[in-house]
Amino acid sequence: MKRRDFLKTAAVAGAATAILPAPAISQNRAEWRMVTAWPKNYPGQGTAAERFAKRVGEVSEGRLSIKVFGAGEIVPAFESFDAVTRGAADCMHASPYYWQNKSKALNFFSTVPYGMTTTEMNSWMLYGGGQELWDEIYAGFGLKGFHAGSTGVQMGGWFNKEIKTVADLDGLKMRIPGLGGDALRKLGVTTINVPAGEIFSSLQSGAIDATEWVGPFNDLSLGLYKVAKYYYWPGMHEPGTYAEVAVDKKKFEALPKDVQQIFALCAADENVRLTSEFNARNGEALETLVRQHNVQLRRFPNEVLTAYGKACGEVIAELRESGDAITKKIIESFLKTRREQMAWTRIGEQEFMNARLLDYKFG
């Protein structure tokens, strides 16, 4: 698709279509390096990073080219943030909760246990002040962030034993990041965070007893069914986890205005594309896991869901009490939108989903 065609049609999901003015022709060229938290060309997130970079190059007609490096090619997965802030790379493709060691508040721009779904998060980011708050906190690190796709509601994870009671969690070693991991520690779980490329070997070696990753599409590609027996749902820890494209703020602002718009609109386009890809692939992948690989699906008992929800609430309350001013502002804004969205989704989407499960023939 040519740049002018793209600028006439691209729109942020949920926002009105915007037709941008034709940009001034410039011979200036910029070449950027993007580091990622994913293995090179990893299905889903890794290919999304490549797709985004290619789209920016095409629509800008080469005025901004981005070369993508997988985890470990320049820096390890969890050093992407530092690579951009120190100038070793120009931008990154990752997820904000990987950087909670920089600020716990960054979790709220990735996912929060029992928080908001993808559509609810989009409402907050676009119409509830979420993007402005993200801009504010990332500016302190010299960054500018763009959402670039959501996994949707994830699975609860892979376990080598059945989880029948809360007591079964005590003593487990589990790979899980973010606030979800903070809450599980309250229930006796030892949490470890390893990047995608190390999850399989960690389970295989016994370094961990359980792991969450994403959902059927991603989990099938990692082969986790080969090293864990039970696949649990629901993914209450991650109801809609976002990928990000984060860029050095000064370098972004130095781009011509129309190229900045191209970059932002390509991120918005990828936000729709990657989210849609997960929705499209998960059903087929789940069927493959169950029918071809005999994966045993299990639902977390209500006892576990309730205890975990209580622990998550404690984590949020402690963070709200002890956090700095920007963290408190982010939490209050997030929770306000969550309350408002729940009032609608309870009688809108939730009740529609319940009705769709009633016993009647369709198609």
Side-chain angles (χ1 to χ4, degrees):
M1 181 182 289
K2 295 297 183 181
R3 169 172 53 84
R4 290 181 178 85
D5 294 334
F6 179 80
L7 291 176
K8 290 178 181 178
T9 59
V12 178
T17 300
I19 299 177
L20 303 177
I25 297 175
S26 171
Q27 298 303 315
N28 292 332
R29 302 263 191 249
E31 296 182 359
W32 282 6
R33 301 202 300 177
M34 171 188 281
V35 291
T36 78
W38 332 110
K40 184 72 171 178
N41 288 318
Y42 178 69
Q45 298 91 326
T47 53
E50 296 281 359
R51 184 168 56 214
F52 167 77
K54 180 180 179 182
R55 194 70 174 249
V56 169
E58 290 176 346
V59 179
S60 70
E61 297 181 344
R63 294 168 65 199
L64 175 59
S65 63
I66 302 173
K67 185 173 183 181
V68 179
F69 296 88
E73 290 190 295
I74 294 181
V75 294
F78 294 152
E79 293 182 18
S80 299
F81 186 102
D82 290 335
V84 178
T85 57
R86 71 170 185 260
D90 306 292
C91 56
M92 64 177 171
H93 196 285
S95 188
Y97 69 170
Y98 287 156
W99 325 126
Q100 71 165 354
N101 63 320
K102 309 296 183 183
S103 170
K104 287 278 191 179
L106 296 180
N107 284 282
F108 290 85
F109 304 103
S110 185
T111 192
V112 173
Y114 290 93
M116 290 193 280
T117 64
T118 298
T119 53
E120 291 169 338
M121 276 287 290
N122 280 338
S123 298
W124 181 51
M125 295 302 293
L126 289 169
Y127 295 104
Q131 183 65 54
E132 290 79 6
L133 288 168
W134 194 19
D135 288 344
E136 182 178 347
I137 192 168
Y138 254 5
F141 299 100
L143 298 176
K144 164 71 176 172
F146 301 86
H147 275 159
S150 169
T151 64
V153 181
Q154 297 194 359
M155 287 290 285
W158 297 84
F159 294 78
N160 280 319
K161 72 172 187 177
E162 290 190 83
I163 307 300
K164 297 180 178 180
T165 68
V166 177
D168 291 328
L169 294 171
D170 191 26
L172 278 182
K173 295 175 293 183
M174 183 173 182
R175 183 268 176 202
I176 178 171
L179 298 179
D182 293 347
L184 278 180
R185 285 196 289 275
K186 289 181 174 288
L187 302 179
V189 177
T190 298
T191 63
I192 303 166
N193 192 18
V194 297
E198 299 175 20
I199 295 176
F200 184 95
S201 60
S202 296
L203 265 176
Q204 188 176 46
S205 68
I208 56 177
D209 307 307
T211 185
E212 66 78 45
W213 175 225
V214 179
F217 172 41
N218 269 177
D219 295 2
L220 177 63
S221 70
L222 283 186
L224 298 179
Y225 61 89
K226 299 176 183 178
V227 286
K229 187 175 182 180
Y230 301 105
Y231 198 22
Y232 272 85
W233 61 280
M236 62 283 183
H237 65 302
E238 298 194 29
T241 310
Y242 273 91
E244 67 175 336
V245 173
V247 58
D248 181 301
K249 189 170 184 288
K250 289 183 178 179
K251 292 178 182 177
F252 180 75
E253 292 174 346
L255 294 172
K257 293 295 184 182
D258 63 300
V259 178
Q260 292 180 34
Q261 292 176 320
I262 287 169
F263 190 97
L265 285 172
C266 285
D269 178 72
E270 189 55 46
N271 200 29
V272 175
R273 289 180 182 274
L274 182 58
T275 302
S276 300
E277 183 174 14
F278 274 104
N279 287 332
R281 308 293 186 202
N282 275 332
E284 180 183 5
L286 181 61
E287 185 173 357
T288 298
L289 287 167
V290 173
R291 294 193 176 185
Q292 296 185 22
H293 302 299
N294 300 313
V295 166
Q296 297 189 41
L297 292 179
R298 294 288 188 273
R299 182 184 183 276
F300 285 120
N302 286 343
E303 172 191 334
V304 172
L305 295 175
T306 300
Y308 187 58
K310 180 180 178 181
C312 292
E314 292 173 359
V315 167
I316 300 299
E318 291 165 3
L319 185 56
R320 181 163 48 178
E321 180 67 25
S322 63
D324 56 18
I326 181 62
T327 297
K328 292 178 180 178
K329 185 162 62 169
I330 288 168
I331 292 174
E332 292 301 329
S333 176
F334 181 94
L335 293 179
K336 177 179 181 294
T337 299
R338 179 180 179 271
R339 287 191 299 270
E340 293 169 348
Q341 288 294 302
M342 287 177 65
W344 162 240
T345 56
R346 181 179 64 82
I347 63 172
E349 291 190 25
Q350 183 173 327
E351 286 306 314
F352 165 73
M353 295 295 184
N354 292 340
R356 199 167 64 176
L357 292 174
L358 295 176
D359 186 16
Y360 66 93
K361 292 182 179 180
F362 186 90

